[in-house]
Amino acid sequence: MLSPAVVLLFLWMIVPLGMTVYFSFLRFNLLMPGTNDFTGFENYYYFFTDPSFWPALVNTLILVFGVLAITVIGGVGLAVLLDQPMWGQGIVRILVIAPFFVMPSVSALVWKNMLMNPVNGLFAAIARGLGLRPFDFFADAPLASIIAIVAWQWLPFATLILFTAMQSLDREQMEAAEMDGAGPVWRFVHLTIPHLMRAITVVVLIQTIFLLSVFAEILVTTNGGPGTASTTLTFLVYVQSMLQFDVGLGSAGGIVAVILANIVAIFLMRMIGKNLEA
Amino acid sequence: MAREATKGRKAVLTVVAWGIGLLIFFPILWTVITSFKTEAEAIASPPAFVDFHWTLENYTTVNQRSDYLLHFWNSVVISIGSTLAGLVIAVPAAWSMAFVPGRRTKDLLMWMLSTKMLPAVGVLVPIYLLARDTGLLDSRIGLVIVLTMVNLPIIVWMLYTYFKEIPGEILEAARMDGATLSSEILYVLTPMAVPGIASTLLLNVILAWNESFWTLNLTAANAAPLTAFIASYSSPEGLFYAKLSAASTMAIAPIMILGWFSQKQLVRGLTFGAVK
């Protein structure tokens, strides 16, 4: 009964991946059919020496770390806040979680046009109202703008996971610490944070996997530009293989992306594996 | 005195939390509001929040001018189709791993999970070429197949964690009473497994509805679901905000309602049971 799932997943994984590896060693351009010579590591050489490669790698790291920093810090803050007694907590939680269900192309377009547009956007209207000059987000700070959009999409995820983890916090221990005169800051640093550490790790690892593949947000807002200012590895591979039709080069880039993702995946798998035994 | 203080504290916390909540929710709210404006009002400065002429015009124009319903239907078919296909494949697998675990069950689960860690862009070219050569490019069937495989590991994992919680003793008791394997599955296991399967279905429909890598790369006019259809609004002109908002509101409303019901399952499904 296992076998259909196992066989299908195995094929799904090994066939395309094998093809990518194979293509990455070929001179293979869809615009030049029939010249699929074996070229060894030439594609890898071209990929690493492509003037877009280093900017793309750096942009990928900035995007991932930027979004992680915002969502983890914001998520911990929101989880602690939502855990406090208040009226209408359920509704606030629904409001906070909502962005997670918005499809990436919608959130990218809404932010790009209706909020961040330097002429017709709401932010521009607010800036003009305050007597300031509207800021052209995607021309002057493309990567930061994309980070803001992606962070808005993932903050709900971090909040939801961390809020769930808060539910298992030992309330008696908290009260005991309070009775002993421990202030809120001490309790937060010495009780709340250590308790949330595991959930934070899970958030960081899972988000990293998804953030390495951020695509629609870039395609819809900046198309990787201006220049390479907002091109990530995923987007670079897309450009090379789908727009420049250089299958060999794109495949080499794809393999590089797989290797990078695997480094993260190993840590994540270890954590989940440990949990499985417990 | 102490009671007053807590009440005051609660009031302050309520105001702060609602403020932040509304701020985070604001882009969605703004989209919904704009969808009821005329195009001129949508780009008016200063912008109006409630004081404008509310109209349903955009919803009718979006439906008339584009094949909105076709793309909506594509989204429905693709998300539900891939989820059902995934369940058909995953239920037997998860069932046997949960109730008849072998020595390698754990390795198998971890391996399935590892396929999910593969970045999509690593297999973009071969999947694209395979789809093109088999005529599945820009077809709903092609996307159903791809999304089934993309989400299969999550489905297996979620079902596994739910099935694990069904006590095995009940099955033994049923067996002692002479239940055959098929009646055991039908009358004992299924009723207990239904909530878990329903949760899995819900989360997976949401994930498939919003999937935006494969849906954008493998479709054109025919099979494009809403993710790709909305992305095609990505022109720099400013005179379509109201229509964009109407299309967006219709695209996110159904899934947002489903999502609010699935908060718990979301945590469980997306952390592979690591946080419950």
Side-chain angles (χ1 to χ4, degrees), chain A residues 146-218:
Chain A
I146 291 174
I147 289 174
I149 298 173
V150 178
W152 178 73
Q153 290 178 295
W154 284 94
L155 182 62
F157 174 78
T159 306
L160 193 59
I161 304 270
L162 294 169
F163 178 72
T164 309
M166 282 294 283
Q167 307 304 305
S168 58
L169 187 64
D170 190 343
R171 308 284 152 170
E172 283 176 17
Q173 197 185 20
M174 267 296 189
E175 273 166 34
E178 201 175 349
M179 301 267 251
D180 289 343
V185 176
W186 191 94
R187 276 178 283 148
F188 177 74
V189 174
H190 291 95
L191 295 176
T192 310
I193 289 291
H195 175 77
L196 289 181
M197 228 31 233
R198 202 187 130 73
I200 290 175
T201 317
V202 171
V203 167
V204 166
L205 293 170
I206 290 174
Q207 281 201 45
T208 306
I209 301 282
F210 282 93
L211 293 176
L212 285 173
S213 299
V214 164
F215 174 72
E217 292 86 342
I218 302 174

Coordinates of all heavy atoms in Angstrom, one line a residue, chain A residues 146-218:
Chain A
I146 N 10.7 44.5 -1.9 CA 10.3 43.1 -2.0 C 10.3 42.4 -0.7 O 9.4 41.6 -0.3 CB 11.1 42.3 -3.1 CG1 10.8 42.9 -4.5 CG2 10.9 40.8 -3.0 CD1 11.7 42.4 -5.6
I147 N 11.4 42.7 0.1 CA 11.5 42.1 1.4 C 10.3 42.5 2.3 O 9.7 41.7 3.0 CB 12.8 42.6 2.1 CG1 14.0 41.9 1.5 CG2 12.8 42.3 3.6 CD1 15.3 42.4 2.0
A148 N 9.8 43.8 2.1 CA 8.7 44.2 2.9 C 7.4 43.4 2.5 O 6.7 42.9 3.4 CB 8.4 45.7 2.7
I149 N 7.2 43.2 1.2 CA 6.1 42.4 0.8 C 6.1 41.0 1.3 O 5.1 40.4 1.8 CB 5.9 42.5 -0.8 CG1 5.8 43.9 -1.2 CG2 4.8 41.6 -1.2 CD1 5.8 44.0 -2.7
V150 N 7.3 40.4 1.1 CA 7.4 38.9 1.5 C 7.3 38.8 3.0 O 6.7 37.9 3.5 CB 8.7 38.4 0.9 CG1 8.9 36.9 1.4 CG2 8.8 38.4 -0.6
A151 N 7.8 39.8 3.7 CA 7.7 39.7 5.2 C 6.3 39.8 5.6 O 5.8 39.1 6.5 CB 8.6 40.8 5.8
W152 N 5.5 40.7 4.9 CA 4.1 40.8 5.3 C 3.4 39.5 5.0 O 2.5 39.1 5.8 CB 3.5 41.9 4.4 CG 2.0 42.1 4.5 CD1 1.4 42.7 5.6 CD2 1.0 41.8 3.6 NE1 0.1 42.8 5.4 CE2 -0.2 42.2 4.2 CE3 1.0 41.1 2.4 CZ2 -1.5 42.0 3.6 CZ3 -0.2 40.9 1.8 CH2 -1.4 41.3 2.4
Q153 N 3.8 38.7 4.0 CA 3.2 37.5 3.7 C 3.5 36.4 4.7 O 2.7 35.5 5.0 CB 3.6 37.0 2.3 CG 3.0 37.8 1.2 CD 3.5 37.2 -0.1 OE1 4.7 37.2 -0.4 NE2 2.6 36.7 -0.9
W154 N 4.7 36.5 5.3 CA 5.2 35.4 6.2 C 5.1 35.7 7.6 O 5.2 34.8 8.5 CB 6.6 35.0 5.8 CG 6.6 34.1 4.5 CD1 6.8 34.6 3.3 CD2 6.4 32.7 4.5 NE1 6.6 33.5 2.4 CE2 6.4 32.4 3.1 CE3 6.1 31.7 5.4 CZ2 6.2 31.1 2.6 CZ3 5.9 30.4 4.9 CH2 5.9 30.1 3.6
L155 N 4.9 37.0 8.0 CA 4.7 37.3 9.4 C 3.6 36.5 10.0 O 3.7 36.0 11.2 CB 4.5 38.8 9.6 CG 4.3 39.3 11.0 CD1 5.6 39.1 11.8 CD2 4.0 40.8 11.0
P156 N 2.5 36.3 9.3 CA 1.4 35.5 9.9 C 1.8 34.1 10.2 O 1.4 33.5 11.3 CB 0.3 35.5 8.8 CG 0.6 36.7 8.0 CD 2.1 36.9 8.0
F157 N 2.6 33.5 9.4 CA 3.1 32.1 9.6 C 3.9 32.0 10.9 O 3.6 31.2 11.8 CB 3.9 31.7 8.4 CG 4.6 30.3 8.6 CD1 3.8 29.2 8.4 CD2 5.9 30.2 8.9 CE1 4.5 27.9 8.6 CE2 6.5 29.0 9.0 CZ 5.8 27.9 8.9
A158 N 4.9 32.9 11.0 CA 5.7 33.0 12.2 C 4.8 33.2 13.4 O 5.0 32.5 14.5 CB 6.8 34.0 12.1
T159 N 3.9 34.2 13.3 CA 3.1 34.5 14.5 C 2.2 33.3 14.9 O 2.1 32.9 16.1 CB 2.1 35.6 14.1 OG1 2.9 36.7 13.7 CG2 1.3 36.1 15.3
L160 N 1.6 32.6 13.9 CA 0.8 31.5 14.2 C 1.5 30.3 14.9 O 1.1 29.8 15.9 CB 0.1 31.0 12.9 CG -1.0 30.0 13.0 CD1 -2.2 30.6 13.7 CD2 -1.5 29.7 11.6
I161 N 2.7 30.0 14.3 CA 3.5 28.9 14.9 C 3.9 29.3 16.3 O 3.8 28.5 17.3 CB 4.8 28.7 14.1 CG1 4.4 28.4 12.6 CG2 5.6 27.6 14.7 CD1 4.1 27.0 12.3
L162 N 4.4 30.5 16.5 CA 5.0 30.9 17.8 C 3.8 31.1 18.8 O 4.0 30.7 20.0 CB 5.7 32.2 17.7 CG 7.0 32.1 16.9 CD1 7.6 33.4 16.5 CD2 8.0 31.2 17.6
F163 N 2.7 31.5 18.3 CA 1.5 31.7 19.2 C 1.1 30.3 19.7 O 0.7 30.1 20.9 CB 0.4 32.4 18.5 CG -0.9 32.5 19.3 CD1 -0.9 33.4 20.4 CD2 -2.0 31.7 19.0 CE1 -2.1 33.5 21.2 CE2 -3.1 31.8 19.8 CZ -3.2 32.7 20.9
T164 N 1.1 29.3 18.8 CA 0.7 27.9 19.1 C 1.7 27.4 20.2 O 1.3 26.8 21.2 CB 0.8 27.0 17.9 OG1 0.0 27.6 16.9 CG2 0.2 25.6 18.2
A165 N 3.0 27.7 20.0 CA 4.0 27.3 21.0 C 3.8 27.9 22.3 O 4.0 27.3 23.4 CB 5.4 27.6 20.4
M166 N 3.3 29.2 22.3 CA 3.1 29.9 23.6 C 2.1 29.2 24.5 O 2.1 29.2 25.7 CB 2.5 31.3 23.3 CG 3.6 32.3 22.9 SD 4.8 32.7 24.2 CE 3.8 33.8 25.2
Q167 N 1.1 28.5 23.8 CA 0.1 27.8 24.5 C 0.6 26.8 25.5 O 0.0 26.5 26.5 CB -0.9 27.1 23.6 CG -1.5 28.0 22.5 CD -2.2 29.2 23.1 OE1 -3.1 29.1 23.9 NE2 -1.7 30.4 22.7
S168 N 1.8 26.2 25.2 CA 2.3 25.2 26.1 C 3.3 25.7 27.1 O 4.0 25.0 27.8 CB 3.0 24.1 25.3 OG 4.0 24.6 24.5
L169 N 3.3 27.0 27.2 CA 4.2 27.7 28.2 C 3.7 27.3 29.6 O 2.5 27.4 29.8 CB 4.2 29.2 28.0 CG 5.2 30.0 28.8 CD1 6.7 29.7 28.4 CD2 5.0 31.5 28.5
D170 N 4.6 27.0 30.5 CA 4.2 26.7 31.9 C 3.8 27.9 32.7 O 4.6 28.7 33.1 CB 5.4 26.0 32.6 CG 5.0 25.4 33.9 OD1 3.9 25.7 34.4 OD2 5.8 24.5 34.4
R171 N 2.5 28.1 32.8 CA 1.9 29.3 33.5 C 2.3 29.3 34.9 O 2.5 30.4 35.5 CB 0.4 29.3 33.4 CG -0.1 29.2 32.0 CD 0.0 30.4 31.2 NE 0.2 30.1 29.8 CZ 0.2 30.9 28.7 NH1 0.1 32.2 28.9 NH2 0.3 30.5 27.5
E172 N 2.4 28.2 35.6 CA 2.7 28.2 37.0 C 4.1 28.7 37.3 O 4.4 29.4 38.2 CB 2.5 26.8 37.6 CG 1.0 26.4 37.8 CD 0.8 25.0 38.3 OE1 1.8 24.4 38.8 OE2 -0.3 24.5 38.2
Q173 N 5.0 28.3 36.4 CA 6.4 28.7 36.5 C 6.4 30.2 36.3 O 7.1 30.9 37.1 CB 7.2 28.0 35.4 CG 8.7 28.1 35.6 CD 9.4 27.5 34.5 OE1 8.9 27.4 33.4 NE2 10.7 27.1 34.7
M174 N 5.6 30.7 35.4 CA 5.6 32.2 35.2 C 5.1 32.9 36.4 O 5.7 33.9 36.8 CB 4.6 32.5 34.0 CG 5.2 32.6 32.7 SD 6.3 33.9 32.5 CE 6.7 34.0 30.8
E175 N 4.0 32.4 37.0 CA 3.5 33.0 38.2 C 4.4 32.9 39.3 O 4.6 33.9 40.1 CB 2.1 32.3 38.6 CG 1.0 33.0 37.8 CD -0.3 32.1 37.9 OE1 -0.5 31.5 39.0 OE2 -1.1 32.1 37.0
A176 N 5.1 31.8 39.5 CA 6.1 31.6 40.5 C 7.2 32.7 40.4 O 7.6 33.3 41.4 CB 6.7 30.2 40.5
A177 N 7.7 32.8 39.2 CA 8.7 33.8 38.9 C 8.2 35.2 39.3 O 9.0 36.0 39.8 CB 9.2 33.7 37.5
E178 N 7.0 35.5 38.9 CA 6.4 36.8 39.2 C 6.3 37.1 40.7 O 6.7 38.1 41.2 CB 5.0 36.9 38.6 CG 4.6 38.3 38.3 CD 3.3 38.4 37.6 OE1 2.8 37.4 37.1 OE2 2.7 39.5 37.5
M179 N 5.9 36.0 41.5 CA 5.8 36.1 42.9 C 7.2 36.4 43.5 O 7.3 37.1 44.5 CB 5.3 34.8 43.5 CG 3.9 34.4 43.0 SD 2.6 35.0 44.0 CE 2.1 33.4 44.7
D180 N 8.2 35.8 42.9 CA 9.6 36.0 43.4 C 10.1 37.3 43.0 O 11.3 37.6 43.3 CB 10.5 34.9 42.9 CG 10.2 33.5 43.6 OD1 9.5 33.6 44.6 OD2 10.6 32.5 43.1
G181 N 9.3 38.1 42.4 CA 9.7 39.5 42.0 C 10.4 39.7 40.7 O 11.0 40.7 40.5
A182 N 10.3 38.6 39.8 CA 11.0 38.8 38.5 C 10.2 39.7 37.6 O 8.9 39.5 37.5 CB 11.1 37.4 37.9
G183 N 10.8 40.7 37.0 CA 10.1 41.6 36.2 C 9.7 41.0 34.9 O 10.2 39.9 34.5
P184 N 8.9 41.7 34.1 CA 8.4 41.2 32.8 C 9.6 40.9 31.8 O 9.6 40.0 31.1 CB 7.5 42.2 32.3 CG 7.7 43.4 33.1 CD 8.2 43.0 34.4
V185 N 10.6 41.8 31.9 CA 11.7 41.6 30.9 C 12.5 40.4 31.3 O 12.9 39.5 30.4 CB 12.7 42.9 31.0 CG1 13.9 42.6 30.1 CG2 11.9 44.1 30.5
W186 N 12.8 40.2 32.6 CA 13.5 39.0 33.0 C 12.7 37.7 32.6 O 13.3 36.8 32.1 CB 13.7 39.0 34.6 CG 14.7 38.0 35.1 CD1 16.0 38.1 35.3 CD2 14.4 36.6 35.4 NE1 16.6 36.9 35.7 CE2 15.6 36.0 35.7 CE3 13.2 35.8 35.4 CZ2 15.6 34.6 36.1 CZ3 13.2 34.5 35.7 CH2 14.5 33.9 36.1
R187 N 11.4 37.7 32.9 CA 10.6 36.6 32.5 C 10.6 36.3 31.0 O 10.7 35.2 30.6 CB 9.1 36.8 33.0 CG 8.9 36.4 34.5 CD 7.5 36.7 34.9 NE 7.3 38.2 35.1 CZ 6.2 38.8 34.9 NH1 5.1 38.1 34.4 NH2 6.0 40.1 35.1
F188 N 10.6 37.4 30.2 CA 10.6 37.2 28.8 C 11.9 36.6 28.3 O 11.9 35.6 27.6 CB 10.4 38.6 28.1 CG 10.5 38.5 26.6 CD1 9.4 38.0 25.9 CD2 11.6 39.0 26.0 CE1 9.5 38.0 24.5 CE2 11.6 39.0 24.6 CZ 10.6 38.4 23.9
V189 N 13.0 37.1 28.9 CA 14.4 36.6 28.4 C 14.6 35.2 29.0 O 15.2 34.4 28.2 CB 15.5 37.6 28.9 CG1 16.8 37.0 28.6 CG2 15.3 38.9 28.2
H190 N 14.3 34.9 30.2 CA 14.7 33.7 30.8 C 13.6 32.6 30.8 O 14.0 31.4 30.9 CB 15.1 33.9 32.3 CG 16.4 34.7 32.4 ND1 16.4 36.0 32.6 CD2 17.7 34.3 32.3 CE1 17.7 36.5 32.6 NE2 18.5 35.4 32.4
L191 N 12.4 32.9 30.5 CA 11.4 31.9 30.5 C 10.7 31.8 29.1 O 10.7 30.7 28.5 CB 10.3 32.1 31.5 CG 10.7 32.0 33.0 CD1 9.6 32.4 33.9 CD2 11.3 30.6 33.3
T192 N 10.2 32.9 28.6 CA 9.5 32.9 27.3 C 10.4 32.5 26.1 O 10.1 31.5 25.4 CB 8.8 34.2 27.0 OG1 8.1 34.6 28.2 CG2 7.9 34.1 25.8
I193 N 11.5 33.2 26.0 CA 12.4 32.9 24.8 C 12.9 31.5 24.8 O 12.9 30.8 23.8 CB 13.5 34.0 24.8 CG1 13.0 35.4 24.4 CG2 14.7 33.6 23.9 CD1 12.5 35.5 23.0
P194 N 13.5 31.0 26.0 CA 13.9 29.6 25.9 C 12.8 28.6 25.5 O 13.0 27.7 24.8 CB 14.4 29.4 27.3 CG 14.7 30.7 27.9 CD 13.8 31.6 27.3
H195 N 11.6 28.9 26.0 CA 10.5 28.0 25.7 C 10.2 28.1 24.2 O 9.8 27.1 23.6 CB 9.2 28.4 26.5 CG 8.0 27.7 26.1 ND1 7.8 26.4 26.5 CD2 7.0 28.0 25.3 CE1 6.7 25.9 26.0 NE2 6.1 26.9 25.3
L196 N 10.3 29.3 23.6 CA 10.0 29.4 22.2 C 11.1 29.0 21.2 O 10.9 28.9 20.0 CB 9.6 30.9 21.9 CG 8.3 31.4 22.4 CD1 8.1 32.8 22.0 CD2 7.1 30.6 21.9
M197 N 12.3 28.8 21.8 CA 13.5 28.5 20.9 C 13.2 27.5 19.9 O 13.6 27.6 18.7 CB 14.6 28.1 21.9 CG 15.9 28.9 21.6 SD 15.7 30.6 21.0 CE 16.7 30.5 19.6
R198 N 12.6 26.4 20.3 CA 12.4 25.3 19.4 C 11.5 25.7 18.2 O 11.8 25.4 17.0 CB 11.7 24.2 20.2 CG 11.8 22.8 19.6 CD 11.0 21.9 20.4 NE 10.2 21.2 19.5 CZ 10.7 20.2 18.7 NH1 12.0 19.9 18.9 NH2 10.0 19.6 17.8
A199 N 10.4 26.4 18.6 CA 9.5 26.8 17.5 C 10.1 27.9 16.6 O 9.9 27.9 15.4 CB 8.2 27.4 18.2
I200 N 11.0 28.7 17.2 CA 11.7 29.7 16.4 C 12.6 29.0 15.4 O 12.6 29.4 14.2 CB 12.5 30.7 17.3 CG1 11.6 31.6 18.1 CG2 13.5 31.5 16.4 CD1 12.3 32.5 19.1
T201 N 13.3 28.0 15.8 CA 14.1 27.2 14.9 C 13.3 26.6 13.8 O 13.7 26.7 12.6 CB 14.8 26.1 15.7 OG1 15.3 26.6 16.9 CG2 16.0 25.5 14.9
V202 N 12.2 26.1 14.1 CA 11.3 25.5 13.1 C 10.9 26.5 12.1 O 10.9 26.4 10.9 CB 10.1 24.8 13.7 CG1 9.1 24.4 12.6 CG2 10.5 23.6 14.5
V203 N 10.5 27.7 12.6 CA 10.0 28.8 11.7 C 11.2 29.2 10.8 O 11.0 29.4 9.6 CB 9.6 30.0 12.6 CG1 9.5 31.3 11.7 CG2 8.3 29.7 13.3
V204 N 12.4 29.4 11.4 CA 13.5 29.8 10.6 C 13.8 28.8 9.4 O 14.0 29.2 8.3 CB 14.8 30.0 11.5 CG1 16.0 30.1 10.6 CG2 14.6 31.2 12.3
L205 N 13.8 27.5 9.8 CA 14.2 26.5 8.8 C 13.1 26.4 7.7 O 13.5 26.4 6.5 CB 14.4 25.2 9.5 CG 15.6 25.2 10.4 CD1 15.7 23.9 11.2 CD2 16.9 25.3 9.6
I206 N 11.9 26.3 8.1 CA 10.8 26.1 7.1 C 10.7 27.4 6.2 O 10.6 27.3 5.0 CB 9.5 25.8 7.8 CG1 9.6 24.4 8.4 CG2 8.3 25.9 6.8 CD1 8.4 24.0 9.2
Q207 N 10.8 28.5 6.8 CA 10.7 29.8 6.0 C 11.9 29.8 5.0 O 11.7 30.3 3.9 CB 10.7 31.0 6.9 CG 9.3 31.3 7.5 CD 9.2 32.7 7.9 OE1 9.5 33.6 7.2 NE2 8.7 32.9 9.1
T208 N 13.0 29.4 5.5 CA 14.2 29.5 4.6 C 14.0 28.7 3.3 O 14.2 29.1 2.2 CB 15.5 29.0 5.3 OG1 15.6 29.7 6.5 CG2 16.7 29.2 4.5
I209 N 13.4 27.5 3.5 CA 13.1 26.6 2.4 C 12.2 27.4 1.4 O 12.4 27.4 0.2 CB 12.4 25.3 2.8 CG1 13.3 24.6 3.8 CG2 12.0 24.5 1.6 CD1 14.4 23.8 3.2
F210 N 11.1 28.0 1.9 CA 10.2 28.7 1.0 C 10.8 30.0 0.5 O 10.5 30.3 -0.7 CB 8.9 29.0 1.8 CG 8.0 27.8 1.9 CD1 8.0 27.0 3.0 CD2 7.1 27.5 0.9 CE1 7.2 25.8 3.1 CE2 6.3 26.3 0.9 CZ 6.3 25.5 2.1
L211 N 11.6 30.7 1.3 CA 12.1 32.0 0.9 C 13.1 31.8 -0.2 O 13.3 32.7 -1.1 CB 12.7 32.7 2.0 CG 11.7 33.2 3.1 CD1 12.4 33.8 4.3 CD2 10.7 34.1 2.5
L212 N 13.9 30.7 -0.2 CA 14.8 30.5 -1.3 C 14.1 30.4 -2.6 O 14.7 30.6 -3.7 CB 15.6 29.2 -1.0 CG 16.7 29.3 0.1 CD1 17.3 27.9 0.3 CD2 17.8 30.2 -0.4
S213 N 12.8 30.1 -2.6 CA 12.1 29.9 -3.9 C 11.1 31.1 -4.2 O 10.3 30.9 -5.1 CB 11.2 28.6 -3.8 OG 12.1 27.5 -3.7
V214 N 11.3 32.2 -3.5 CA 10.4 33.3 -3.8 C 10.5 33.7 -5.3 O 11.6 33.8 -5.8 CB 10.8 34.6 -2.9 CG1 10.2 35.8 -3.5 CG2 10.3 34.4 -1.5
F215 N 9.4 33.8 -6.0 CA 9.4 34.0 -7.4 C 8.4 35.0 -7.9 O 8.7 36.0 -8.5 CB 9.2 32.6 -8.1 CG 9.1 32.7 -9.6 CD1 10.2 33.1 -10.4 CD2 7.9 32.6 -10.2 CE1 10.1 33.2 -11.7 CE2 7.8 32.7 -11.6 CZ 8.9 33.0 -12.4
A216 N 7.1 34.7 -7.6 CA 6.0 35.5 -8.2 C 6.2 37.0 -7.8 O 5.9 37.9 -8.5 CB 4.7 35.0 -7.7
E217 N 6.6 37.2 -6.5 CA 6.7 38.6 -6.0 C 7.7 39.4 -6.8 O 7.5 40.6 -7.1 CB 7.1 38.5 -4.5 CG 6.1 38.0 -3.6 CD 6.2 36.5 -3.5 OE1 6.8 35.8 -4.4 OE2 5.6 35.9 -2.5
I218 N 8.8 38.7 -7.2 CA 9.8 39.4 -8.0 C 9.3 39.6 -9.5 O 9.4 40.7 -10.0 CB 11.2 38.6 -8.0 CG1 11.6 38.5 -6.6 CG2 12.2 39.4 -8.8 CD1 12.8 37.6 -6.4

